[in-house]
Amino acid sequence: MEDFKKKLSADVNDREIVFSKSIKAGKRIYYLDVKKNRKDEMFLAITESKKVVMSDGDDSQVSFEKHKIFLYKEDFEKFMSGLTQAIGFIKLQQPCGQADQNSEMGSICEILDKKVKSDSLEGEIKIDIDF
């Protein structure tokens, strides 16, 4: 009976995702999921998933560390402003050319550089979300 309840709750959680985008960056995968709450209002769930391998000789175990952030519509502008400022600060302090291209920072810089160039907005990140 308990397994049935878990499965039912998993199905309900899957139904509330209305849009999903995954971003692979080095050892991490970021998931951007637009979900609906009980009031039928949409919000953004950002999940970072990192593969962790624990080895004990021949018997290695694989698990995933997950961290989530829930971002609500009324906070989008403040969040984007802060995110843009933080990314701008990092780019000024450590230009992507200085980062090791094989490192995680190199992968992230490469993604950010492509995004900035494709938007051609002098260092701003543009996200269009329609509700």
Side-chain angles (χ1 to χ4, degrees):
M1 183 68 173
E2 211 169 294
D3 289 336
F4 177 73
K5 287 180 184 177
K6 285 181 184 177
K7 186 175 186 212
L8 184 61
S9 93
D11 290 344
V12 169
N13 288 337
D14 288 343
R15 275 188 268 149
E16 66 183 19
I17 297 174
V18 295
F19 174 84
S20 186
K21 171 75 177 163
S22 64
I23 302 163
K24 294 181 182 181
K27 295 179 181 180
R28 291 178 168 84
I29 300 175
Y30 299 96
Y31 298 96
L32 306 173
D33 297 323
V34 176
K35 296 183 174 188
K36 283 189 178 182
N37 64 16
R38 291 181 181 140
K39 295 179 184 177
D40 217 27
E41 298 167 335
M42 288 190 243
F43 65 95
L44 179 62
I46 302 170
T47 306
E48 173 205 31
S49 179
K50 182 178 176 183
K51 186 177 182 177
V52 179
V53 179
M54 300 175 76
S55 5
D56 292 331
D58 293 335
D59 190 27
S60 62
Q61 295 180 344
V62 176
S63 64
F64 292 89
E65 284 182 6
K66 292 186 179 183
H67 301 96
K68 287 191 174 216
I69 296 174
F70 298 100
L71 187 60
Y72 300 93
K73 187 176 179 179
E74 60 269 16
D75 301 325
F76 286 169
E77 286 183 35
K78 290 178 185 176
F79 185 86
M80 284 306 301
S81 173
L83 180 62
T84 302
Q85 289 175 17
I87 290 171
F89 176 80
I90 292 169
K91 289 184 140 233
L92 285 173
Q93 296 298 314
Q94 183 182 1
C96 287
Q98 293 178 0
D100 179 6
Q101 292 302 314
N102 294 326
S103 70
E104 285 182 27
M105 188 63 186
S107 299
I108 292 169
C109 281
E110 195 175 310
I111 291 167
L112 290 174
D113 280 346
K114 286 179 185 176
K115 178 66 177 159
V116 169
K117 286 176 187 171
S118 71
D119 287 345
S120 65
L121 291 175
E122 296 184 9
E124 292 183 2
I125 296 176
K126 180 180 174 185
I127 296 179
D128 289 327
I129 301 175
D130 295 325
F131 290 98

PDB file of all heavy atoms in Angstrom, residues 105-119:
ATOM      1  N   MET A 105      34.756  25.503 -14.402  1.00  0.00           N
ATOM      2  CA  MET A 105      34.636  26.946 -14.631  1.00  0.00           C
ATOM      3  C   MET A 105      34.801  27.259 -16.105  1.00  0.00           C
ATOM      4  O   MET A 105      34.109  28.101 -16.644  1.00  0.00           O
ATOM      5  CB  MET A 105      35.677  27.696 -13.783  1.00  0.00           C
ATOM      6  CG  MET A 105      35.499  29.185 -13.812  1.00  0.00           C
ATOM      7  SD  MET A 105      33.909  29.626 -13.079  1.00  0.00           S
ATOM      8  CE  MET A 105      33.910  31.362 -13.419  1.00  0.00           C
ATOM      9  N   GLY A 106      35.727  26.537 -16.779  1.00  0.00           N
ATOM     10  CA  GLY A 106      35.907  26.734 -18.214  1.00  0.00           C
ATOM     11  C   GLY A 106      34.651  26.390 -18.986  1.00  0.00           C
ATOM     12  O   GLY A 106      34.259  27.116 -19.896  1.00  0.00           O
ATOM     13  N   SER A 107      33.990  25.299 -18.616  1.00  0.00           N
ATOM     14  CA  SER A 107      32.747  24.894 -19.281  1.00  0.00           C
ATOM     15  C   SER A 107      31.650  25.925 -19.066  1.00  0.00           C
ATOM     16  O   SER A 107      30.925  26.278 -19.987  1.00  0.00           O
ATOM     17  CB  SER A 107      32.266  23.548 -18.758  1.00  0.00           C
ATOM     18  OG  SER A 107      33.217  22.559 -19.010  1.00  0.00           O
ATOM     19  N   ILE A 108      31.545  26.418 -17.832  1.00  0.00           N
ATOM     20  CA  ILE A 108      30.515  27.409 -17.517  1.00  0.00           C
ATOM     21  C   ILE A 108      30.794  28.697 -18.270  1.00  0.00           C
ATOM     22  O   ILE A 108      29.887  29.306 -18.838  1.00  0.00           O
ATOM     23  CB  ILE A 108      30.436  27.640 -15.993  1.00  0.00           C
ATOM     24  CG1 ILE A 108      29.899  26.385 -15.318  1.00  0.00           C
ATOM     25  CG2 ILE A 108      29.576  28.848 -15.659  1.00  0.00           C
ATOM     26  CD1 ILE A 108      30.022  26.368 -13.814  1.00  0.00           C
ATOM     27  N   CYS A 109      32.063  29.131 -18.294  1.00  0.00           N
ATOM     28  CA  CYS A 109      32.428  30.349 -19.024  1.00  0.00           C
ATOM     29  C   CYS A 109      32.092  30.223 -20.506  1.00  0.00           C
ATOM     30  O   CYS A 109      31.585  31.159 -21.118  1.00  0.00           O
ATOM     31  CB  CYS A 109      33.910  30.651 -18.855  1.00  0.00           C
ATOM     32  SG  CYS A 109      34.330  31.415 -17.286  1.00  0.00           S
ATOM     33  N   GLU A 110      32.373  29.059 -21.073  1.00  0.00           N
ATOM     34  CA  GLU A 110      32.084  28.834 -22.484  1.00  0.00           C
ATOM     35  C   GLU A 110      30.579  28.973 -22.757  1.00  0.00           C
ATOM     36  O   GLU A 110      30.172  29.618 -23.714  1.00  0.00           O
ATOM     37  CB  GLU A 110      32.573  27.433 -22.867  1.00  0.00           C
ATOM     38  CG  GLU A 110      32.665  27.190 -24.345  1.00  0.00           C
ATOM     39  CD  GLU A 110      33.277  25.831 -24.625  1.00  0.00           C
ATOM     40  OE1 GLU A 110      34.339  25.517 -24.066  1.00  0.00           O
ATOM     41  OE2 GLU A 110      32.656  25.083 -25.404  1.00  0.00           O
ATOM     42  N   ILE A 111      29.765  28.399 -21.892  1.00  0.00           N
ATOM     43  CA  ILE A 111      28.307  28.489 -22.035  1.00  0.00           C
ATOM     44  C   ILE A 111      27.855  29.939 -21.910  1.00  0.00           C
ATOM     45  O   ILE A 111      27.059  30.431 -22.709  1.00  0.00           O
ATOM     46  CB  ILE A 111      27.591  27.599 -20.995  1.00  0.00           C
ATOM     47  CG1 ILE A 111      27.834  26.126 -21.314  1.00  0.00           C
ATOM     48  CG2 ILE A 111      26.105  27.902 -20.943  1.00  0.00           C
ATOM     49  CD1 ILE A 111      27.456  25.180 -20.201  1.00  0.00           C
ATOM     50  N   LEU A 112      28.379  30.647 -20.884  1.00  0.00           N
ATOM     51  CA  LEU A 112      27.996  32.048 -20.675  1.00  0.00           C
ATOM     52  C   LEU A 112      28.429  32.918 -21.842  1.00  0.00           C
ATOM     53  O   LEU A 112      27.683  33.794 -22.280  1.00  0.00           O
ATOM     54  CB  LEU A 112      28.587  32.573 -19.369  1.00  0.00           C
ATOM     55  CG  LEU A 112      27.990  32.009 -18.091  1.00  0.00           C
ATOM     56  CD1 LEU A 112      28.780  32.499 -16.883  1.00  0.00           C
ATOM     57  CD2 LEU A 112      26.528  32.392 -17.951  1.00  0.00           C
ATOM     58  N   ASP A 113      29.647  32.706 -22.360  1.00  0.00           N
ATOM     59  CA  ASP A 113      30.122  33.498 -23.493  1.00  0.00           C
ATOM     60  C   ASP A 113      29.222  33.320 -24.704  1.00  0.00           C
ATOM     61  O   ASP A 113      28.861  34.274 -25.381  1.00  0.00           O
ATOM     62  CB  ASP A 113      31.558  33.123 -23.860  1.00  0.00           C
ATOM     63  CG  ASP A 113      32.579  33.779 -22.957  1.00  0.00           C
ATOM     64  OD1 ASP A 113      32.219  34.728 -22.227  1.00  0.00           O
ATOM     65  OD2 ASP A 113      33.742  33.345 -22.968  1.00  0.00           O
ATOM     66  N   LYS A 114      28.838  32.066 -24.985  1.00  0.00           N
ATOM     67  CA  LYS A 114      27.953  31.799 -26.123  1.00  0.00           C
ATOM     68  C   LYS A 114      26.606  32.482 -25.929  1.00  0.00           C
ATOM     69  O   LYS A 114      26.044  33.041 -26.858  1.00  0.00           O
ATOM     70  CB  LYS A 114      27.759  30.294 -26.314  1.00  0.00           C
ATOM     71  CG  LYS A 114      28.954  29.600 -26.892  1.00  0.00           C
ATOM     72  CD  LYS A 114      28.709  28.107 -27.030  1.00  0.00           C
ATOM     73  CE  LYS A 114      29.956  27.393 -27.498  1.00  0.00           C
ATOM     74  NZ  LYS A 114      29.768  25.940 -27.554  1.00  0.00           N
ATOM     75  N   LYS A 115      26.080  32.425 -24.701  1.00  0.00           N
ATOM     76  CA  LYS A 115      24.784  33.037 -24.406  1.00  0.00           C
ATOM     77  C   LYS A 115      24.849  34.541 -24.596  1.00  0.00           C
ATOM     78  O   LYS A 115      23.985  35.145 -25.224  1.00  0.00           O
ATOM     79  CB  LYS A 115      24.357  32.689 -22.972  1.00  0.00           C
ATOM     80  CG  LYS A 115      23.051  33.304 -22.541  1.00  0.00           C
ATOM     81  CD  LYS A 115      21.897  32.747 -23.322  1.00  0.00           C
ATOM     82  CE  LYS A 115      20.579  33.334 -22.829  1.00  0.00           C
ATOM     83  NZ  LYS A 115      19.541  33.229 -23.829  1.00  0.00           N
ATOM     84  N   VAL A 116      25.902  35.171 -24.082  1.00  0.00           N
ATOM     85  CA  VAL A 116      26.040  36.621 -24.191  1.00  0.00           C
ATOM     86  C   VAL A 116      26.203  37.029 -25.649  1.00  0.00           C
ATOM     87  O   VAL A 116      25.568  37.966 -26.117  1.00  0.00           O
ATOM     88  CB  VAL A 116      27.232  37.124 -23.331  1.00  0.00           C
ATOM     89  CG1 VAL A 116      27.555  38.575 -23.633  1.00  0.00           C
ATOM     90  CG2 VAL A 116      26.909  36.956 -21.849  1.00  0.00           C
ATOM     91  N   LYS A 117      27.027  36.289 -26.408  1.00  0.00           N
ATOM     92  CA  LYS A 117      27.236  36.613 -27.817  1.00  0.00           C
ATOM     93  C   LYS A 117      25.951  36.427 -28.609  1.00  0.00           C
ATOM     94  O   LYS A 117      25.629  37.221 -29.479  1.00  0.00           O
ATOM     95  CB  LYS A 117      28.347  35.751 -28.404  1.00  0.00           C
ATOM     96  CG  LYS A 117      29.728  36.177 -27.936  1.00  0.00           C
ATOM     97  CD  LYS A 117      30.788  35.243 -28.451  1.00  0.00           C
ATOM     98  CE  LYS A 117      32.139  35.591 -27.839  1.00  0.00           C
ATOM     99  NZ  LYS A 117      33.157  34.592 -28.150  1.00  0.00           N
ATOM    100  N   SER A 118      25.201  35.383 -28.314  1.00  0.00           N
ATOM    101  CA  SER A 118      23.979  35.122 -29.082  1.00  0.00           C
ATOM    102  C   SER A 118      22.908  36.168 -28.793  1.00  0.00           C
ATOM    103  O   SER A 118      22.114  36.500 -29.652  1.00  0.00           O
ATOM    104  CB  SER A 118      23.447  33.725 -28.811  1.00  0.00           C
ATOM    105  OG  SER A 118      22.908  33.648 -27.507  1.00  0.00           O
ATOM    106  N   ASP A 119      22.894  36.703 -27.588  1.00  0.00           N
ATOM    107  CA  ASP A 119      21.910  37.735 -27.257  1.00  0.00           C
ATOM    108  C   ASP A 119      22.373  39.116 -27.683  1.00  0.00           C
ATOM    109  O   ASP A 119      21.566  40.020 -27.821  1.00  0.00           O
ATOM    110  CB  ASP A 119      21.623  37.748 -25.751  1.00  0.00           C
ATOM    111  CG  ASP A 119      20.803  36.563 -25.304  1.00  0.00           C
ATOM    112  OD1 ASP A 119      20.217  35.891 -26.175  1.00  0.00           O
ATOM    113  OD2 ASP A 119      20.742  36.320 -24.093  1.00  0.00           O
TER     114      ASP A 119
END
